[in-house]
């Protein structure tokens, strides 16, 4: 069997933990399996490097940032290979380039375009344990690129796909996917299985346990994905195609996204093309707009609201100034969050949204915005009620049972 393991920042947070990972990998090898290991930078390392650059300028070149940030993962990969070699195992550390990962040119948020697994296959056939620095690749011009925050998860899934591995196991400090972040709700329950689609919603809506792009790719390539803990031998959670009995479960989980800011535009000229102009300009400035609501226009004007990531809030403010003549007033609120309820069971059961709204009402929490899809209900609320909302929703759907 060929397995890909990925160990995140906390799992390789210090030398003792790297030793722990080396022991875990050695055990898999002793059992006779081939193993490719993807590692993150030691926890806090990527942020520390960003802080160093920040010292000089708030707008460093993205190409230089990739050169800087990719170093964190390389340190861990090298140290893990050394730890394994010291135990008598034949291990080789590889950069993204050596692992054959070619990306586009979008520095700091590159997409993987192709993987040539020959180098890894050769090493495996020589009996080596292959250790790959996560989160990075190289563009066609030969410059190092990184894959966006949390991108080592993506490396692991992409390698599992390219190597046709039997499974991909993502190790972190939690032993699987829970009904909500166990740091917010200690009564959260671990799920044995969850569908790709539910996991993709949870990740995209703020659950950082798996990077959303990695889940998307796992679904596309049909990679058998597990979330497990590097500190225990517990079962973990299998993320896979939706099965019939999954729909019996109404709600799989609830999730909080604190990284939200709300923009409200009042008295917007109610004419064809205005929405196109506003959202095109935001898109051209790489601002990711999430929820959008627009009222029915009256007397030639309408109200328009949308959310953006908090980091884009100031930028959105500046851009909206261009529409002064078309808009009577603007409000910007940085103190909002988004709470979401996710479950494939919603497709076949009604009342899930009503329960969410009733729960907010019972707790006197005002809902600013609502959006729904086939398998999720999201609400924007005041940031200070975010954790309360998650705990009461968790109870309302009996997720602790
Ligand atoms: P790593 O550094 O290994 O990549 P992360 O910190 O990115 O690990 O992800 C693990 C964290 O995800 C956990 O510590 C947990 O607090 C958080 N988390 C958020 N939502 C969930 C969830 N639904 N289930 C499990 N963990 C979650
Ligand atoms: N080290 C990178 C980050 O902190 C990538 C990762 O850990 O997956 O975002
Ligand atoms: Mg992570």
């Amino acid at each position: 069997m060929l397995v890909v393991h990925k160990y995140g920042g906390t799992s390789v947070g210090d030398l003792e933990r790297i030793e722990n990972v080396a022991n875990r990998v050695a055990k898999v090898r002793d059992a006779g399996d081939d193993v490719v290991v993807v590692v993150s930078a030691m926890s806090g390392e990527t942020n520390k490097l960003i802080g160093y650059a920040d010292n000089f300028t708030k707008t460093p070149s993205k190409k230089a940032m990739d050169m800087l940030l990719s170093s964190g993962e390389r340190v861990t990969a090298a140290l893990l290979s050394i730890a394994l070699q010291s135990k008598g195992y034949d291990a080789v550390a590889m950069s993204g380039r050596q692992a054959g990962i070619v990306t586009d040119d979008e520095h700091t948020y590159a997409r993987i375009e192709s993987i040539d697994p020959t180098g890894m296959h050769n090493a495996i056939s020589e009996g080596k344990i292959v250790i790959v620095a996560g989160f990075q690749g190289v563009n066609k011009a030969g410059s190092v690129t990184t894959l966006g925050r949390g991108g080592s998860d993506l490396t692991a899934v992409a390698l599992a796909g390219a190597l046709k591995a039997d499974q991909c196991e993502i190790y972190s400090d939690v032993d699987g996917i829970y009904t909500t972040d166990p740091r917010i709700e200690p009564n959260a329950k671990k799920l044995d299985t969850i569908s790709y689609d539910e996991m993709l919603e949870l990740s995209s809506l703020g659950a950082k346990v798996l990077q959303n792009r990695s889940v998307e790719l796992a679904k596309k390539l049909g990679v058998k994905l597990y979330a497990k803990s590097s500190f225990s031998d517990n079962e973990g959670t299998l993320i896979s195609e939706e099965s019939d009995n999954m729909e019996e479960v109404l709600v799989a989980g609830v999730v909080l996204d604190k990284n939200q800011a709300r923009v409200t535009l009042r008295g917007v000229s109610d004419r064809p093309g205005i929405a196109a102009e506003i959202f095109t300009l935001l898109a051209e400035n790489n601002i990711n707009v999430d929820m959008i609501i627009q009222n029915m226009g009256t007397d030639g004007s309408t109200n328009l609201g949308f959310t953006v990531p908090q980091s884009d809030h100031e930028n959105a403010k500046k851009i909206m100034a261009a529409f002064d003549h078309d808009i009577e007033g603007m409000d910007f609120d940085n103190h909002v969050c988004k709470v979401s309820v996710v479950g494939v069971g919603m497709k076949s059961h009604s009342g899930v949204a009503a329960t969410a709204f009733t729960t907010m009402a019972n707790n006197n929490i005002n809902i600013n915005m609502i959006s729904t899809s086939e398998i999720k209900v999201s609400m924007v609320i005041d940031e200070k009620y975010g954790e309360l909302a998650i705990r009461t929703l968790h109870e309302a759907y009996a997720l602790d049972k």
Side-chain angles (χ1 to χ4, degrees):
M1 187 153 101
L2 170 61
V3 293
V4 174
H5 280 199
K6 179 259 172 177
Y7 292 90
T10 319
S11 306
V12 294
D14 56 35
L15 298 179
E16 209 177 304
R17 288 184 174 182
I18 291 177
E19 167 103 36
N20 170 53
V21 169
N23 289 333
R24 296 187 75 101
V25 172
K27 219 163 139 187
V28 177
R29 182 79 229 173
D30 291 345
D33 289 332
D34 288 324
V35 54
V36 171
V37 185
V38 174
V39 287
S40 284
M42 294 161 85
S43 64
E45 193 59 29
T46 307
N47 287 339
K48 194 174 91 186
L49 294 170
I50 292 172
Y52 287 165
D54 209 41
N55 220 34
F56 298 107
T57 169
K58 302 279 177 242
T59 52
S61 91
K62 292 188 170 177
K63 193 172 167 182
M65 282 311 282
D66 277 348
M67 192 66 190
L68 178 67
L69 297 188
S70 58
S71 68
E73 272 57 21
R74 294 171 71 135
V75 170
T76 325
L79 287 174
L80 181 58
S81 72
I82 292 166
L84 278 160
Q85 287 161 6
S86 76
K87 294 175 191 296
Y89 291 86
D90 195 2
V92 57
M94 293 186 180
S95 65
R97 178 207 302 268
Q98 288 168 308
I101 301 173
V102 177
T103 73
D104 64 13
D105 300 325
E106 192 68 41
H107 281 288
T108 73
Y109 202 72
R111 290 189 165 271
I112 297 176
E113 284 187 342
S114 64
I115 297 179
D116 175 2
T118 315
M120 289 184 290
H121 274 312
N122 289 345
I124 293 167
S125 62
E126 287 163 13
K128 292 188 167 69
I129 298 170
V130 174
I131 299 162
V132 179
F135 173 56
Q136 59 196 276
V138 64
N139 67 13
K140 288 196 195 70
S143 301
V144 66
T145 52
T146 63
L147 308 176
R149 297 306 302 269
S152 297
D153 294 344
L154 182 61
T155 304
V157 170
L159 291 189
L163 292 163
K164 301 195 168 50
D166 295 279
Q167 59 194 52
C168 179
E169 304 175 10
I170 308 280
Y171 288 87
S172 74
D173 58 351
V174 274
D175 57 0
I177 309 302
Y178 279 68
T179 47
T180 195
D181 189 341
R183 289 182 208 231
I184 298 176
E185 173 52 88
N187 291 323
K189 284 271 174 303
K190 194 183 79 181
L191 302 165
D192 293 332
T193 57
I194 186 169
S195 69
Y196 290 124
D197 288 337
E198 286 168 321
M199 192 63 237
L200 186 55
E201 288 285 7
L202 288 178
S203 301
S204 304
L205 293 165
K208 76 164 190 166
V209 58
L210 289 177
Q211 190 218 31
N212 58 352
R213 281 165 71 178
S214 74
V215 181
E216 200 176 4
L217 188 65
K219 179 181 176 177
K220 192 170 144 200
L221 303 178
V223 170
K224 199 171 168 195
L225 191 61
Y226 286 90
K228 296 186 177 190
S229 164
S230 58
F231 304 115
S232 78
D233 289 320
N234 295 353
E235 257 324 292
T237 301
L238 169 65
I239 300 106
S240 67
E241 219 44 84
E242 186 179 324
S243 60
D244 289 345
N245 59 1
M246 280 181 181
E247 266 198 57
E248 286 164 18
V249 182
L250 198 55
V251 169
V254 294
V255 51
L256 172 63
D257 184 356
K258 290 183 177 168
N259 179 24
Q260 291 280 314
R262 182 164 60 103
V263 179
T264 315
L265 310 177
R266 284 176 284 104
V268 181
S269 321
D270 200 9
R271 61 169 173 82
I274 181 77
E277 286 168 32
I278 291 173
F279 293 110
T280 302
L281 195 59
L282 289 165
E284 281 170 2
N285 284 277
N286 285 319
I287 294 186
N288 241 326
V289 174
D290 181 21
M291 274 192 212
I292 301 175
I293 48 169
Q294 187 184 334
N295 295 353
M296 285 289 289
T298 47
D299 303 329
S301 80
T302 182
N303 294 336
L304 186 61
F306 55 89
T307 59
V308 297
Q310 277 182 3
S311 52
D312 287 333
H313 176 239
E314 287 302 323
N315 212 0
K317 233 182 201 176
K318 275 188 213 133
I319 290 162
M320 283 302 109
F323 292 96
D324 242 3
H325 54 283
D326 265 317
I327 297 169
E328 266 167 36
M330 308 185 197
D331 295 316
F332 297 89
D333 188 351
N334 216 353
H335 299 285
V336 294
C337 66
K338 180 169 67 182
V339 291
S340 308
V341 179
V342 173
V344 288
M346 283 181 213
K347 289 187 201 171
S348 49
H349 296 77
S350 56
V352 174
T355 302
F357 306 150
T358 307
T359 307
M360 295 301 104
N362 291 344
N363 287 279
N364 242 325
I365 299 173
N366 193 38
I367 306 170
N368 297 150
M369 289 175 154
I370 297 169
S371 85
T372 61
S373 78
E374 211 181 17
I375 66 165
K376 73 132 202 258
V377 179
S378 293
M379 299 171 286
V380 172
I381 61 171
D382 191 324
E383 172 183 77
K384 66 173 179 276
Y385 299 122
E387 301 204 348
L388 171 69
I390 290 297
R391 285 194 293 270
T392 51
L393 285 169
H394 196 265
E395 202 186 334
Y397 294 108
L399 294 177
D400 50 346
K401 297 287 153 33

